[in-house]
C-alpha cells in the first residue's frame, strides 16, 4: 500500500541495483514494515508479537469465555496496537502537520483510534495489524517483481581483464579506454562493447536479446557488454566507453521506464487524490446527517458504521497493484529482449492498428552481398576501386558489402570531400575526379544519363558516375529475416494493417512484399517521404507503430504513436529516439510487444474492477450497518492481496 502521490522507481545509477522501492512512506520513512529491505520474519518481530497478543486475547474471550477488565484490555490491546501501528501513526502525524490529511495513513489512524474510543479494542488492533501485514506481503510482491530487472543489472561485471604492454591486469571497466584490448575467459561476462579480435567465439546473449541459443561471432564482428563467453579465451578491441556501452544504455532505459507513468496510472493517482477526501466527508456525513433525520439516533452505531466506511474505502489495492502490474509488464518484455522506455508505451501498443516498417535491417537482415559488377566505359576492377574507396566513408550495410567484397583493391585509395546525400548516396573526390555512388535518384539529381533497362533490376543496385558520366553498377542482394513472414501473418491475425516504407526502388520493395505478405508498400522514398506517408496514415485516424533501424528512420520513429527500434543493427540515433527497443532485431518481437501490452492492460483492469467492485459492495453494507470492522479489514486486505497476486502473475507468463 502506498501513497497515491508516489511512484514506483528502480534505482540503477550504480553498478549494483538498489532495487525497486515504493515511495510510500512506510518504506521511505523507515516504518515498521519498510525499515528493512528484507522480508524475513525477524525483520517483522513487532507485527508477529502484535498478532500473538491479539490471538491470545481472542482465544481467551471466545474460546474460554474469559473477558479482560476494561483497563487491562485497554493496556494490553494498546501495546499490540502500538507494536503494529506506530509507524503508521507517526507518518500520519507528520503528514497532517504538513497539511496532507487526505491519505491512507491518516485514514487508518482515524479509523483505529476511533475504534478504541468506542471500546472496540480488538477490532482497532486488527484493522492496524492486518493493514500492516498486507503491507508486508505487498512489499514482498514488489521485491519479487523487481528480480527480473535486477538480474539484468547483475550481468554488468565489476571488473575486466585488460591487456596493456603485453601484460594482463584486472581493472574496473570504467578505467578501460577505447581502442584497448580486453580478454574474456570462458564463462566470463563481456564488460564492454567491442570488436572481436580472435578468429571466432560463441556467446550467450540471453540477457540482451532473450534468446538462449549460442551466437557465434567471427573476427571483426561486434561483441556487446552483457554477453557471456561460452567456449574459448577471446580478445576484444574496445569500441565504446563503459558508460556508453549498449548495456549501460539499456539500464538507463529501464530506469527511465519505471518513472514514466501510463495514462491508467496517472488516472488512478488523480482519482485517489479526489476519492480519499470524498470518503472522509462521506464518513463524516454518515455520523452527522442521521442525527437530523432520525428520531432514534444512536451515536455509537453510526460512528461505528463510519469507521467501517473509512477502513474499506482505503485505496491501497489500486495504488500499489496498478504500478506493480505495469512494472511486471516491463519486466516480462525485458526478459524477452524488448525494452519499453515507459509503462505509457505498454498502453500505446494496445491501441496500435497499423505497423509501418522499414525494409533494410527491419524485415531483411541488412547483410548484403555483392552479386554482380557491371562496368560501362571502365574496367570492373577500377569501378570497384573507386566505389569501395567512397563507400568506406559510409556506415550503411550496402557500403559495407562493397568494401567487404573488394578489401584488397588498392586500400591506399582515399576519397576526399565526401558528402552523404540523405536518401540518395555519396559524393566525393578521388584522383581529382568527382565520384557519385548511390541509387538511381542520385544520378537523376545530378542529371546524369543511364541505361533505362537497369530500372527493371529487382536486386538493390549501386550506380556509379565518374566525372558526371555513368560508369556502371553493382548489384547487391539482401536476405529476408526468417521470422518476417510469420510476424506479418501474426499481425494480420490481430487485425493489424502492415505497411512498408523504403528508400529502395519500387521493384525491390514489391518483391519483398510478395514474399512476406505485406498489405501496402512504398518505395523510392526519401526520409521526408517516409514522414509524409506516416503523417498521411495518422491523418486517417490510424494508431501507428513505426519500426526502423537507420539514422534516416529517426524522424519517423519520433512521429509515430510508438517508435520501435531494432536495437542490434539499429543506429544510436534511432535507438535514442525510439519508445521501444527490440534487442535481437526479430520482427516477431513486434507482435510480442503488442501481446505484452495487452496482457498488462487486461491484468491492470482486472485489478481495478476487482478492487472497486468489492469496495462498493462493502461500503454499502458498512453504511447499512451489516458489515463490521472485522469484515471491512478482511475485505480491504484481501482484495489488496488478490490484486497484488494477480499483478505478480505477469512475471510467470511465457510469450
Amino acid at each position: 500500500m502506498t501513497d497515491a502521490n508516489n511512484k514506483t522507481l528502480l534505482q540503477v545509477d550504480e553498478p549494483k541495483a538498489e532495487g525497486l522501492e515504493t515511495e510510500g512512506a512506510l518504506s521511505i520513512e523507515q516504518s515498521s514494515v519498510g525499515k528493512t529491505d528484507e522480508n524475513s520474519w525477524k525483520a517483522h518481530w513487532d507485527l508477529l508479537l502484535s498478532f500473538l497478543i491479539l490471538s491470545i486475547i481472542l482465544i481467551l474471550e471466545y474460546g474460554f469465555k474469559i473477558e479482560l477488565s476494561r483497563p487491562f484490555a485497554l493496556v494490553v490491546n494498546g501495546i499490540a496496537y502500538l507494536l503494529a501501528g506506530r509507524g503508521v501513526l507517526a507518518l500520519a502525524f507528520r503528514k497532517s502537520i504538513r497539511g496532507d490529511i487526505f491519505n491512507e495513513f491518516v485514514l487508518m489512524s482515524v479509523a483505529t483510534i476511533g475504534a478504541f474510543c468506542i471500546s472496540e479494542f480488538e477490532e482497532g488492533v486488527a484493522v492496524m495489524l492486518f493493514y500492516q501485514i498486507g503491507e508486508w506481503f505487498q512489499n514482498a510482491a514488489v521485491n519479487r517483481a523487481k528480480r527480473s530487472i535486477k538480474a539484468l543489472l547483475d550481468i554488468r561485471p565489476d571488473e575486466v581483464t585488460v591487456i596493456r604492454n603485453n601484460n594482463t591486469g584486472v581493472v574496473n571497466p570504467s578505467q578501460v579506454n577505447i581502442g584497448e584490448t580486453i580478454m574474456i575467459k570462458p564463462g566470463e561476462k563481456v564488460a564492454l562493447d567491442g570488436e572481436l579480435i580472435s578468429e571466432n567465439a560463441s556467446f550467450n546473449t540471453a540477457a540482451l536479446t532473450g534468446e538462449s541459443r549460442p551466437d557465434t561471432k567471427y573476427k571483426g564482428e561486434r561483441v556487446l557488454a552483457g554477453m557471456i563467453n561460452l567456449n574459448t579465451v577471446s580478445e576484444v578491441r574496445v569500441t565504446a566507453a563503459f558508460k556508453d556501452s549498449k548495456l549501460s544504455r539499456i539500464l538507463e532505459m529501464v530506469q527511465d521506464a519505471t518513472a514514466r507513468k501510463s495514462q491508467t496510472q496517472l488516472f488512478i493517482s488523480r482519482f485517489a487524490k479526489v476519492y480519499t477526501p470524498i470518503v472522509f466527508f462521506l464518513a463524516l456525513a454518515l455520523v452527522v446527517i442521521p442525527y437530523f433525520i432520525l428520531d432514534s439516533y444512536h451515536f455509537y452505531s453510526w460512528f461505528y458504521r463510519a469507521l467501517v466506511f473509512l477502513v474499506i474505502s482505503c485505496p491501497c489495492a489500486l495504488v500499489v497493484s496498478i504500478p506493480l502490474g505495469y512494472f511486471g509488464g516491463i519486466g516480462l518484455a525485458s526478459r524477452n529482449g524488448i525494452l519499453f522506455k515507459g509503462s505509457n508505451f505498454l498502453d500505446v501498443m494496445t491501441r496500435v492498428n497499423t505497423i509501418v516498417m522499414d525494409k533494410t535491417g527491419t524485415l531483411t537482415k541488412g547483410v548484403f552481398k555483392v552479386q554482380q559488377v557491371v562496368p560501362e566505359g571502365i574496367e570492373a576492377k577500377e569501378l570497384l576501386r573507386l566505389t569501395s574507396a567512397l563507400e568506406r566513408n559510409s556506415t550503411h550495410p550496402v557500403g559495407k558489402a562493397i568494401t567487404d567484397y573488394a578489401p584488397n583493391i588498392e586500400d591506399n585509395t582515399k576519397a576526399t570531400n565526401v558528402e552523404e546525400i540523405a536518401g540518395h548516396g555519396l559524393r566525393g573526390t578521388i584522383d581529382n575526379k568527382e565520384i557519385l555512388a548511390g541509387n538511381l535518384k542520385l544520378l537523376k539529381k545530378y542529371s546524369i544519363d543511364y541505361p533505362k533497362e537497369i530500372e527493371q533490376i529487382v536486386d538493390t543496385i549501386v550506380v556509379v558516375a565518374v566525372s558526371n558520366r555513368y560508369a556502371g553498377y553493382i548489384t547487391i542482394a539482401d536476405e529476408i529475416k526468417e521470422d518476417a513472414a510469420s510476424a506479418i501473418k501474426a499481425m494480420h491475425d490481430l487485425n493489424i494493417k502492415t505497411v512498408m516504407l523504403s528508400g529502395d526502388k519500387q521493384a525491390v520493395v514489391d518483391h519483398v512484399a510478395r514474399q512476406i505478405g505485406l498489405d501496402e508498400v512504398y518505395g523510392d522514398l526519401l526520409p521526408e517521404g517516409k514522414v509524409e506517408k506516416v503523417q498521411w496514415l495518422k491523418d486517417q485516424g490510424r494508431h501507428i507503430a513505426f519500426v526502423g533501424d537507420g539514422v534516416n528512420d529517426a524522424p519517423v520513429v519520433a512521429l509515430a504513436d510508438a517508435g520501435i527500434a531494432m536495437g542490434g543493427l539499429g543506429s544510436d540515433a534511432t535507438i535514442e529516439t525510439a519508445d521501444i527497443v527490440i534487442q535481437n532485431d526479430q520482427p516477431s518481437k513486434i507482435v510480442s510487444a503488442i501481446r505484452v501490452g495487452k496482457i498488462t492492460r487486461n491484468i491492470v483492469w482486472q485489478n481495478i474492477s476487482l478492487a472497486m467492485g468489492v469496495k462498493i459492495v462493502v461500503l454499502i453494507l458498512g453504511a447499512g450497518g451489516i458489515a463490521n470492522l472485522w469484515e471491512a479489514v478482511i475485505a480491504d486486505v484481501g482484495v489488496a492481496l488478490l490484486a497484488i497476486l494477480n499483478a505478480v502473475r505477469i512475471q510467470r507468463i511465457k510469450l
Side-chain angles (χ1 to χ4, degrees):
M1 302 176 191
T2 185
D3 193 337
N5 297 325
N6 299 320
K7 55 181 177 287
T8 303
L9 295 175
L10 179 69
Q11 303 295 338
V12 292
D13 293 318
E14 300 298 328
K16 294 295 182 184
E18 292 293 328
L20 181 71
E21 296 178 347
T22 46
E23 287 189 349
L26 291 186
S27 54
I28 293 300
E29 304 211 28
Q30 310 298 311
S31 74
S32 61
V33 174
K35 63 188 175 187
T36 176
D37 290 333
E38 298 178 359
N39 288 294
S40 65
W41 296 98
K42 291 181 180 179
H44 299 88
W45 65 268
D46 44 6
L47 292 185
L48 297 175
L49 182 56
S50 176
F51 180 77
L52 178 63
I53 294 171
L54 179 63
S55 298
I56 292 172
I57 294 172
L58 293 176
I59 290 171
L60 290 174
E61 183 174 344
Y62 294 100
F64 296 97
K65 305 300 180 182
I66 300 174
E67 291 192 14
L68 303 177
S69 65
R70 179 167 174 167
F72 186 64
L74 175 61
V75 171
V76 174
N77 281 290
I79 293 172
Y81 177 74
L82 291 174
L83 282 170
R86 66 187 188 279
V88 173
L89 293 171
L91 180 58
F93 175 75
R94 287 196 293 271
K95 283 183 171 288
S96 297
I97 62 177
R98 293 199 299 262
D100 180 13
I101 61 173
F102 298 119
N103 58 75
E104 64 182 270
F105 310 111
V106 174
L107 184 152
M108 283 291 107
S109 300
V110 170
T112 52
I113 292 172
F116 269 76
C117 290
I118 58 176
S119 299
E120 298 289 348
F121 305 136
E122 290 85 3
E123 293 187 3
V125 173
V127 168
M128 186 62 76
L129 176 62
F130 286 110
Y131 171 81
Q132 286 282 56
I133 289 175
E135 181 77 16
W136 175 7
F137 283 109
Q138 290 172 41
N139 284 344
V142 168
N143 288 334
R144 181 183 179 87
K146 77 182 180 184
R147 286 178 195 146
S148 62
I149 294 181
K150 187 178 183 297
L152 179 66
L153 302 177
D154 290 340
I155 68 173
R156 186 163 59 174
D158 294 325
E159 57 184 33
V160 61
T161 303
V162 63
I163 301 174
R164 290 171 176 163
N165 300 321
N166 294 322
N167 295 316
T168 61
V170 177
V171 300
N172 189 284
S174 61
Q175 298 174 344
V176 178
N177 299 317
I178 295 173
E180 289 192 301
T181 300
I182 59 174
M183 178 188 294
I184 303 102
K185 299 173 185 176
E188 281 188 343
K189 299 165 186 172
V190 181
L192 298 153
D193 292 355
E195 179 182 290
L196 187 64
I197 298 175
S198 305
E199 288 302 319
N200 61 74
S202 292
F203 296 90
N204 181 333
T205 65
L208 296 175
T209 67
E211 297 295 325
S212 58
R213 66 170 181 241
D215 183 7
T216 301
K217 301 290 184 182
Y218 296 93
K219 184 175 182 178
E221 291 191 332
R222 185 163 61 160
V223 176
L224 299 177
M227 294 179 175
I228 300 175
N229 187 11
L230 294 177
N231 58 357
T232 183
V233 176
S234 304
E235 293 184 2
V236 172
R237 182 182 297 109
V238 176
T239 57
F242 181 64
K243 64 182 179 64
D244 298 324
S245 70
K246 202 141 218 167
L247 179 59
S248 294
R249 296 211 312 276
I250 289 171
L251 302 185
E252 291 173 7
M253 291 175 192
V254 173
Q255 181 181 11
D256 292 341
T258 58
R260 294 186 182 182
K261 288 190 174 184
S262 69
Q263 290 300 313
T264 307
Q265 286 175 273
L266 294 173
F267 167 75
I268 292 299
S269 296
R270 291 192 296 267
F271 171 77
K273 290 179 182 179
V274 176
Y275 166 85
T276 307
I278 287 176
V279 298
F280 264 106
F281 287 114
L282 285 176
L284 181 63
L286 201 57
V287 177
V288 175
I289 293 177
Y291 175 79
F292 297 100
I293 61 177
L294 295 178
D295 294 332
S296 58
Y297 174 79
H298 190 251
F299 173 78
Y300 173 93
S301 174
W302 289 102
F303 185 65
Y304 187 87
R305 295 185 190 190
L307 297 182
V308 174
F309 198 89
L310 287 178
V311 171
I312 193 59
S313 64
C314 182
C316 316
L318 293 176
V319 297
V320 171
S321 68
I322 291 172
L324 183 59
Y326 280 104
F327 187 79
I330 292 172
L332 174 63
S334 68
R335 288 200 307 277
N336 285 274
I338 306 164
L339 297 176
F340 281 85
K341 293 187 181 180
S343 54
N344 49 323
F345 300 119
L346 286 164
D347 282 345
V348 170
M349 288 305 290
T350 65
R351 299 191 296 270
V352 166
N353 54 26
T354 303
I355 302 288
V356 182
M357 293 159 280
D358 179 40
K359 179 180 76 68
T360 305
T362 301
L363 293 171
T364 64
K365 293 182 177 179
V367 181
F368 292 87
K369 293 184 178 179
V370 171
Q371 305 297 311
Q372 285 183 298
V373 179
V374 183
E376 183 165 312
I378 187 175
E379 291 187 1
K381 183 177 179 180
E382 179 66 4
L383 179 64
L384 271 175
R385 182 181 77 87
L386 297 174
T387 309
S388 62
L390 190 58
E391 292 289 358
R392 275 198 290 268
N393 297 277
S394 172
T395 58
H396 195 282
V398 170
K400 187 176 187 303
I402 294 173
T403 56
D404 288 347
Y405 185 76
N408 300 316
I409 298 180
E410 296 201 31
D411 281 342
N412 59 343
T413 302
K414 301 293 183 184
T416 58
N417 302 320
V418 178
E419 175 188 0
E420 182 169 352
I421 303 168
H424 292 76
L426 297 172
R427 180 178 68 173
T429 302
I430 302 175
D431 300 337
N432 295 320
K433 299 174 183 176
E434 184 179 78
I435 310 297
L436 299 173
N439 54 32
L440 293 174
K441 294 193 295 289
L442 181 65
L443 297 192
K444 291 176 182 177
K445 179 179 177 68
Y446 288 92
S447 302
I448 297 173
D449 293 332
Y450 59 87
K452 298 303 179 186
E453 58 267 21
I454 67 175
E455 294 180 353
Q456 306 306 315
I457 297 174
V458 174
D459 288 339
T460 297
I461 67 170
V462 174
V463 290
V464 182
V466 179
S467 300
N468 291 320
R469 291 177 61 87
Y470 171 72
Y473 66 86
I474 300 171
T475 62
I476 297 169
D478 193 5
E479 188 178 349
I480 294 173
K481 292 180 180 178
E482 290 85 354
D483 64 334
S486 60
I488 298 301
K489 183 181 183 302
M491 293 176 201
H492 289 159
D493 291 342
L494 294 172
N495 295 318
I496 292 175
K497 182 179 182 179
T498 56
V499 181
M500 183 171 72
L501 307 179
S502 176
D504 278 349
K505 58 187 179 180
Q506 193 65 44
V508 174
V509 297
D510 286 341
H511 180 65
V512 172
R514 284 191 297 271
Q515 289 180 277
I516 61 178
L518 289 161
D519 295 323
E520 296 180 13
V521 291
Y522 301 94
D524 297 310
L525 293 175
L526 299 175
E528 55 267 28
K530 292 183 180 181
V531 171
E532 290 172 3
K533 286 293 182 184
V534 170
Q535 187 61 58
W536 174 69
L537 289 167
K538 289 189 71 173
D539 291 343
Q540 294 178 1
R542 312 291 299 180
H543 293 284
I544 294 170
F546 181 86
V547 191
D549 71 302
V551 175
N552 61 348
D553 292 326
V556 204
V557 166
L559 176 63
D561 297 295
I564 304 176
M566 291 296 183
L569 292 174
S571 72
D572 289 347
T574 306
I575 292 171
E576 292 297 328
T577 307
D579 309 312
I580 302 162
V581 180
I582 295 174
Q583 282 299 105
N584 64 0
D585 293 343
Q586 289 182 344
S588 56
K589 295 294 186 181
I590 303 168
V591 180
S592 298
I594 296 171
R595 287 174 177 158
V596 170
K598 290 186 175 182
I599 289 169
T600 305
R601 180 194 60 186
N602 291 342
I603 288 179
V604 164
W605 280 102
Q606 286 169 11
N607 285 346
I608 292 173
S609 302
L610 172 68
M612 295 307 299
V614 172
K615 285 184 181 296
I616 289 171
V617 170
V618 182
L619 281 172
I620 294 171
L621 294 176
I626 300 173
N628 59 30
L629 275 175
W630 286 101
E631 292 162 346
V633 70
I634 291 171
D636 176 53
V637 175
V639 75
L641 292 179
L642 284 175
I644 293 297
L645 291 173
N646 194 35
V648 170
R649 185 165 60 90
I650 298 178
Q651 305 293 318
R652 299 182 179 179
I653 293 175
K654 293 185 178 180
L655 297 178

